[in-house]
Amino acid sequence: MTLRLLLLLGLIVPAVASVPCFAAADRVALVIGNAKYPDADAPLTEPVNDARDLADELKRDGFNVDVLENAGGEAMRHALDRLYGKIKPGTVALVFFSGYGIQSNRQSYLIPVDAQIWQEADVRRDGFSLETVLGEINGRGAGVKIALIDASRRNPYERRFRTASAGLAPVIAPTGTLVMYSAALSAVVSDSGRDHSLFVQELLKEIRVPDLSAEETLNHTRVGVTRASRNEQVPWISFSLAEDFTFVTGPAGNRPAGGAAETNVTPPPAPTPSPTQVVVAPPAPPPAPPMPSPAPSPVQKADTPPPAPAPTATPAPVPPAASNSPSPEPNVAPTSTQVALADDPTVKSLSAKIAANPDDVSALYRRGQVYASKGAYDLAIKDFDDTIRINPKDVEALNNRCWASTVIGELQTALRDCNEALRLRPNFVDALDSRGLLNLKSGANKNAIADFDAALKINPRLTSSLYGRGLARQRSGAAQEGALDIANAKAMDPNVVQEFESYGVR
């Protein structure tokens, strides 16, 4: 049920305001992937591939991107000068760096591949201070400043001087800035040895989701990395945006406006005695399942170990008419909603790509997401159908088709999709959550509890699974346990009741 957040927001907040649309010329980015450091025992495996994939995505989203690979100090200096020269008042400026970073005197430095570092003073001589870079970008008039830093690695220079601290330092950034590190302050993560980092994998998933504010995008990335790493890697974020911004251009949807006050987002707190009632640090939105990613690409196929066993019970076949409430019939002729969607700028852009290439699986999947988030489930399912036709093993599309089919009451079709998604990716939390809703709607309460239990073991903050389990427990006769689940879910997200009502579940 990974599209719920967009749908829920659409039900609650009327779309009365729009966010300024930043043209391609107003978005500039510098993307650096440094892997071949002569002082390291071996080249890093992740940075170059991560830089290439992120650069491609940013280009699709309207950024003028400069990409550097294995850059020395002179190349980084010239690239930064080019970036500064492109900035004019109101520009969105983004810097991504993957490689080695070092903190010195409570500042974080990005290290070029040809740095000669033997003592701490050399860090300040050869490295590039992130605070200085952000200050220069701000001084040129950039309206939104974004720094995404995947450099929380134990680097080969630290053993040469004892005064160095591990990991990266907090950033004192100007107003209108988003900064995200791939790990917590002063923490380090090892290069995985795979082709792509977990951080960039999750980041790309969220950047590709339309109508998410930048804060939501990065917060969902943080949650995804934290969950996938079993809390061993918790990214650090600092927000101080004074205006709203989305990576994927198009209608603003119903996003909450960004706040001007700076807030450092700390790692998720340890669970309280109630394992599912968790306080999440602001400005993160109420807990929700991560949004789905487009059709799998090499970035998204890393073999991360499943964090928890999936339930062994397989739901019984669902009767065709089984549902707790009437579901809308599929549209036969174009409705006013469909006509309005055809004029949606995001839909128009994606439809143009599909017209040029009917097998553009990324555009098909993204348009399906948009349709589903707007409640046009029949159109969404058609796009997911085409996505799966092109790639039958696309677990994200299978899960989303399962969820959309469940909402409109096509439960037998939904069950096949959810089961197939879980066969291809055991312990896929979003599919467990979707199948839990399916079982809840069909009256298979024990199976619903099993699915929601498995999902909550993976992500205790998954409010939809917590609320759904509460309903299933109450229907199974465990009134007290069900009431506790429901109360905890409502405390975490007061809108969860209306969300489930929109699915025909009360």
PDB file of all heavy atoms in Angstrom, residues 55 69 147 164 187 192 209 217 293 310 321 345 375 400 416:
ATOM      1  N   ALA A  55      22.858  11.318 -11.379  1.00  0.00           N
ATOM      2  CA  ALA A  55      22.918  12.364 -12.404  1.00  0.00           C
ATOM      3  C   ALA A  55      21.851  12.150 -13.466  1.00  0.00           C
ATOM      4  O   ALA A  55      21.184  13.105 -13.902  1.00  0.00           O
ATOM      5  CB  ALA A  55      24.308  12.395 -13.034  1.00  0.00           C
ATOM      6  N   GLU A  69      33.917  12.220 -12.208  1.00  0.00           N
ATOM      7  CA  GLU A  69      34.287  10.903 -11.705  1.00  0.00           C
ATOM      8  C   GLU A  69      35.773  10.903 -11.393  1.00  0.00           C
ATOM      9  O   GLU A  69      36.593  11.354 -12.194  1.00  0.00           O
ATOM     10  CB  GLU A  69      33.978   9.823 -12.749  1.00  0.00           C
ATOM     11  CG  GLU A  69      32.507   9.692 -13.065  1.00  0.00           C
ATOM     12  CD  GLU A  69      32.220   8.685 -14.174  1.00  0.00           C
ATOM     13  OE1 GLU A  69      33.157   7.952 -14.588  1.00  0.00           O
ATOM     14  OE2 GLU A  69      31.071   8.636 -14.629  1.00  0.00           O
ATOM     15  N   ALA A 147      22.475  19.520  -0.261  1.00  0.00           N
ATOM     16  CA  ALA A 147      23.737  18.784  -0.232  1.00  0.00           C
ATOM     17  C   ALA A 147      23.446  17.349   0.193  1.00  0.00           C
ATOM     18  O   ALA A 147      22.906  17.118   1.282  1.00  0.00           O
ATOM     19  CB  ALA A 147      24.726  19.430   0.722  1.00  0.00           C
ATOM     20  N   ALA A 164      41.956  13.229  14.370  1.00  0.00           N
ATOM     21  CA  ALA A 164      40.788  13.107  13.493  1.00  0.00           C
ATOM     22  C   ALA A 164      39.656  12.385  14.204  1.00  0.00           C
ATOM     23  O   ALA A 164      39.877  11.460  14.971  1.00  0.00           O
ATOM     24  CB  ALA A 164      41.151  12.360  12.223  1.00  0.00           C
ATOM     25  N   ALA A 187      29.522   8.846  12.616  1.00  0.00           N
ATOM     26  CA  ALA A 187      29.401   7.405  12.384  1.00  0.00           C
ATOM     27  C   ALA A 187      29.983   7.071  11.018  1.00  0.00           C
ATOM     28  O   ALA A 187      30.031   7.914  10.116  1.00  0.00           O
ATOM     29  CB  ALA A 187      27.944   6.968  12.459  1.00  0.00           C
ATOM     30  N   SER A 192      30.031  -1.405   0.745  1.00  0.00           N
ATOM     31  CA  SER A 192      29.358  -2.706   0.745  1.00  0.00           C
ATOM     32  C   SER A 192      30.024  -3.721  -0.172  1.00  0.00           C
ATOM     33  O   SER A 192      29.781  -4.916  -0.053  1.00  0.00           O
ATOM     34  CB  SER A 192      27.896  -2.521   0.314  1.00  0.00           C
ATOM     35  OG  SER A 192      27.830  -2.121  -1.041  1.00  0.00           O
ATOM     36  N   VAL A 209       9.412   9.589  -6.962  1.00  0.00           N
ATOM     37  CA  VAL A 209       7.999   9.641  -6.615  1.00  0.00           C
ATOM     38  C   VAL A 209       7.472  11.052  -6.854  1.00  0.00           C
ATOM     39  O   VAL A 209       7.996  12.008  -6.302  1.00  0.00           O
ATOM     40  CB  VAL A 209       7.778   9.244  -5.147  1.00  0.00           C
ATOM     41  CG1 VAL A 209       6.308   9.378  -4.781  1.00  0.00           C
ATOM     42  CG2 VAL A 209       8.246   7.817  -4.911  1.00  0.00           C
ATOM     43  N   THR A 217      10.806  13.473   0.750  1.00  0.00           N
ATOM     44  CA  THR A 217      11.703  12.605  -0.004  1.00  0.00           C
ATOM     45  C   THR A 217      12.867  12.145   0.853  1.00  0.00           C
ATOM     46  O   THR A 217      13.199  10.956   0.912  1.00  0.00           O
ATOM     47  CB  THR A 217      12.231  13.341  -1.243  1.00  0.00           C
ATOM     48  OG1 THR A 217      11.130  13.645  -2.109  1.00  0.00           O
ATOM     49  CG2 THR A 217      13.235  12.481  -2.009  1.00  0.00           C
ATOM     50  N   SER A 293       9.265   2.448  -5.940  1.00  0.00           N
ATOM     51  CA  SER A 293      10.224   2.923  -6.918  1.00  0.00           C
ATOM     52  C   SER A 293       9.785   2.525  -8.301  1.00  0.00           C
ATOM     53  O   SER A 293       8.976   1.642  -8.482  1.00  0.00           O
ATOM     54  CB  SER A 293      11.593   2.304  -6.634  1.00  0.00           C
ATOM     55  OG  SER A 293      11.506   0.917  -6.804  1.00  0.00           O
ATOM     56  N   ALA A 310       8.989 -14.020   6.465  1.00  0.00           N
ATOM     57  CA  ALA A 310       7.617 -13.778   6.052  1.00  0.00           C
ATOM     58  C   ALA A 310       6.717 -14.818   6.690  1.00  0.00           C
ATOM     59  O   ALA A 310       7.151 -15.907   7.060  1.00  0.00           O
ATOM     60  CB  ALA A 310       7.506 -13.852   4.524  1.00  0.00           C
ATOM     61  N   ALA A 321     -16.797 -11.847  -4.723  1.00  0.00           N
ATOM     62  CA  ALA A 321     -17.572 -10.711  -4.242  1.00  0.00           C
ATOM     63  C   ALA A 321     -17.223 -10.329  -2.823  1.00  0.00           C
ATOM     64  O   ALA A 321     -17.885  -9.510  -2.219  1.00  0.00           O
ATOM     65  CB  ALA A 321     -19.065 -11.032  -4.328  1.00  0.00           C
ATOM     66  N   PRO A 345       0.005  18.385 -15.819  1.00  0.00           N
ATOM     67  CA  PRO A 345       1.322  18.520 -16.465  1.00  0.00           C
ATOM     68  C   PRO A 345       2.204  17.288 -16.318  1.00  0.00           C
ATOM     69  O   PRO A 345       2.912  16.908 -17.254  1.00  0.00           O
ATOM     70  CB  PRO A 345       1.935  19.738 -15.754  1.00  0.00           C
ATOM     71  CG  PRO A 345       0.770  20.524 -15.281  1.00  0.00           C
ATOM     72  CD  PRO A 345      -0.283  19.515 -14.929  1.00  0.00           C
ATOM     73  N   GLY A 375      -6.647   8.576  -7.307  1.00  0.00           N
ATOM     74  CA  GLY A 375      -7.848   7.772  -7.195  1.00  0.00           C
ATOM     75  C   GLY A 375      -8.345   7.191  -8.510  1.00  0.00           C
ATOM     76  O   GLY A 375      -9.404   6.566  -8.533  1.00  0.00           O
ATOM     77  N   ASN A 400       1.906  -2.676  -6.275  1.00  0.00           N
ATOM     78  CA  ASN A 400       0.992  -1.565  -6.480  1.00  0.00           C
ATOM     79  C   ASN A 400      -0.285  -2.001  -7.189  1.00  0.00           C
ATOM     80  O   ASN A 400      -1.366  -1.478  -6.903  1.00  0.00           O
ATOM     81  CB  ASN A 400       1.698  -0.459  -7.261  1.00  0.00           C
ATOM     82  CG  ASN A 400       2.532   0.407  -6.341  1.00  0.00           C
ATOM     83  OD1 ASN A 400       2.012   1.238  -5.621  1.00  0.00           O
ATOM     84  ND2 ASN A 400       3.831   0.206  -6.353  1.00  0.00           N
ATOM     85  N   ARG A 416      -3.287 -12.773  -6.131  1.00  0.00           N
ATOM     86  CA  ARG A 416      -2.249 -13.346  -6.998  1.00  0.00           C
ATOM     87  C   ARG A 416      -1.044 -12.415  -7.098  1.00  0.00           C
ATOM     88  O   ARG A 416       0.102 -12.870  -7.047  1.00  0.00           O
ATOM     89  CB  ARG A 416      -2.828 -13.624  -8.388  1.00  0.00           C
ATOM     90  CG  ARG A 416      -3.784 -14.810  -8.438  1.00  0.00           C
ATOM     91  CD  ARG A 416      -4.032 -15.254  -9.881  1.00  0.00           C
ATOM     92  NE  ARG A 416      -4.677 -14.188 -10.659  1.00  0.00           N
ATOM     93  CZ  ARG A 416      -5.990 -14.051 -10.785  1.00  0.00           C
ATOM     94  NH1 ARG A 416      -6.804 -14.900 -10.161  1.00  0.00           N
ATOM     95  NH2 ARG A 416      -6.501 -13.090 -11.532  1.00  0.00           N
TER      96      ARG A 416
END
